[in-house]
Amino acid sequence: MQKVNSTPVSELGEFGLIEELTKGIKILNPETIFGVGDDAAVLDYQDKKILVTTDLLVEGIHFNLIYTPLKHLGYKSVVVNLSDICAMNGIPKQVTVSIAISSKFSVEALTEFYDGVKFACKKYNVDLIGGDTSSSLTGFLISVTAIGEAGENDIVYRGGAKPTDLICVSGNLGGAYMGLQLLEREKNIFTENPGVQPDLSGYDYILERQLKPEPRLDIIESLKVAGIKPTAMIDISDGLSSELIHICKNSQIGCRIYSERIPIDVTTCEMAKEFNMAAETAALNGGEDYELLFTVSIKDYEKVKSIKDVSIIGNVTDITDGLNLVSPDGNLIQITAQGWNAIK
């Protein structure tokens, strides 16, 4: 068995570590005048509005290193922030990545993490322009800030939905949550019986949805090509129910969505059956799908229905009608926020 090198971070020091992790970075966007290597990055935006978003990921809360490969973690740390830029109808351009690490992490381990960061940046044409490193006594902490751009008239907020608007989602929902349930189940089995190898065969799709989500930049482009500007939009990080409530609260409207129209992949359904769970529950309350939930004017019905990988799941109603899910038998079920809550 080949021996894996394990260089203590202390051997390089903070600045040596930063130089090691960021070497070879090339600037991809003309707006980035200067990236890594000084006290601050230099950006040049002339006639665009700048979008900025930040996420904090904490070991044991947002990820478990028992079943999360470091390269996947680096990739996911970036793309979940790019998804927030997409949700504003913007285009991501730059990111900063800051980490706090305990002594258990070697230089090689952190290089693997940054390989994932760099891969995400290259795939989505985003510049890594800075960050920070620090020690941690409690595990691995990751803070990513994403910067994007949008024309003033292109930005979409959560508060623009109007009655009769159509409610749409991209992709399919619930897969990431069921992937997490599978990983947790196999982790528990392994913890109790270390000799038993995890059985993850046949579930590649939901595992990828959990470990390697993708921001829906393609949907933003498809909407633009179709000549559609959503009236409201948000990405689905905390579950469909929670995100619907955000849009309804900010827009001061009600909604009606139909259970049978919520797009769910067959693998998600199969995994839900194994856990004696309704697949709709995973879609409504699971989170981490990073799909886009948006509303469009009913005038754009013909345009939006022809966009690949977009489903119309309901319509906006007056605020007095409340927030309702229509079951297959026609009953109205009040939508409540049961998705992910970071503060418990």
Side-chain angles (χ1 to χ4, degrees):
M1 184 176 180
Q2 186 176 1
K3 184 178 179 180
V4 179
N5 292 331
S6 181
T7 306
V9 170
S10 58
E11 187 173 307
L12 296 183
E14 179 182 2
F15 297 111
L17 177 64
I18 293 172
E19 183 176 346
E20 173 68 23
L21 298 178
T22 59
K23 65 183 179 183
I25 292 176
K26 296 179 180 180
I27 299 302
L28 303 173
N29 293 286
E31 295 85 359
T32 307
I33 305 303
F34 193 89
V36 176
D38 215 308
D39 291 308
V42 180
L43 311 178
D44 181 18
Y45 287 85
Q46 297 178 354
D47 58 348
K48 299 286 187 179
K49 297 299 181 183
I50 300 173
L51 307 172
V52 181
T53 183
T54 298
D55 265 346
L56 180 66
L57 303 174
V58 181
E59 182 181 355
I61 302 296
H62 301 96
F63 60 90
N64 191 320
L65 289 175
I66 292 177
Y67 51 69
T68 306
L70 284 168
K71 186 173 183 179
H72 285 73
L73 180 60
Y75 186 91
K76 184 174 181 178
S77 298
V78 171
V79 300
V80 299
N81 281 267
L82 305 188
S83 182
D84 282 332
I85 299 294
C86 289
M88 299 292 292
N89 205 34
I91 303 299
K93 291 290 184 176
Q94 294 90 13
V95 294
T96 66
V97 178
S98 297
I99 58 174
I101 52 173
S102 65
S103 58
K104 71 179 180 181
F105 291 94
S106 65
V107 172
E108 288 75 17
L110 295 175
T111 297
E112 186 178 346
F113 172 80
Y114 267 82
D115 283 344
V117 168
K118 293 174 185 177
F119 185 75
C121 289
K122 182 178 180 180
K123 181 174 181 178
Y124 290 104
N125 198 45
V126 168
D127 292 324
L128 175 60
I129 60 169
D132 194 15
T133 58
S134 181
S135 297
S136 166
L137 299 178
T138 57
F140 196 7
L141 288 82
I142 307 159
S143 178
V144 178
T145 296
I147 302 166
E149 68 170 26
E152 184 172 3
N153 296 325
D154 296 328
I155 298 175
V156 176
Y157 299 91
R158 299 176 182 180
K162 299 290 190 294
T164 76
D165 281 355
L166 304 173
I167 300 173
C168 309
V169 295
S170 66
N172 60 79
L173 307 179
Y177 180 72
M178 295 317 305
L180 177 61
Q181 298 311 300
L182 173 60
L183 289 167
E184 283 289 327
R185 183 186 72 183
E186 296 304 313
K187 180 204 73 174
N188 291 335
I189 293 173
F190 179 76
T191 301
E192 294 177 3
N193 302 283
V196 177
Q197 292 300 307
D199 182 11
L200 304 175
S201 58
Y203 290 109
D204 292 354
Y205 179 74
I206 60 173
L207 291 172
E208 185 167 301
R209 293 287 285 178
Q210 169 58 217
L211 297 174
K212 189 177 173 290
E214 305 292 351
R216 296 311 304 262
L217 276 163
D218 58 322
I219 298 297
I220 298 301
E221 179 61 25
S222 294
L223 290 168
K224 182 179 179 180
V225 170
I228 300 172
K229 180 185 175 182
T231 53
M233 186 155 57
I234 192 171
D235 73 329
I236 303 177
S237 56
D238 299 331
L240 177 60
S241 60
S242 292
E243 313 305 359
L244 267 172
I245 290 172
H246 284 312
I247 285 182
C248 290
K249 180 179 180 180
N250 287 26
S251 299
Q252 289 295 291
I253 46 91
C255 70
R256 179 171 292 192
I257 62 169
Y258 296 83
S259 175
E260 292 180 323
R261 296 184 188 176
I262 298 173
I264 302 174
D265 186 80
V266 63
T267 311
T268 302
C269 293
E270 291 172 356
M271 191 79 261
K273 287 180 181 178
E274 286 192 33
F275 280 89
N276 295 314
M277 178 189 302
E280 290 80 5
T281 300
L284 287 164
N285 305 322
E288 290 200 290
D289 289 307
Y290 297 102
E291 296 292 346
L292 293 173
L293 168 67
F294 58 96
T295 57
V296 300
S297 169
I298 195 169
K299 296 177 182 178
D300 289 324
Y301 171 73
E302 292 295 336
K303 293 178 182 178
V304 76
K305 77 171 186 177
S306 66
I307 297 179
K308 182 181 178 182
D309 216 19
V310 167
S311 302
I312 301 172
I313 63 170
N315 60 279
V316 175
T317 62
D318 188 81
I319 190 171
T320 58
D321 294 325
L323 285 61
N324 297 292
L325 172 71
V326 183
S327 67
D329 57 8
N331 290 326
L332 298 183
I333 304 168
Q334 183 180 0
I335 296 172
T336 57
Q338 299 181 41
W340 165 257
N341 181 2
I343 307 297
K344 297 181 179 180

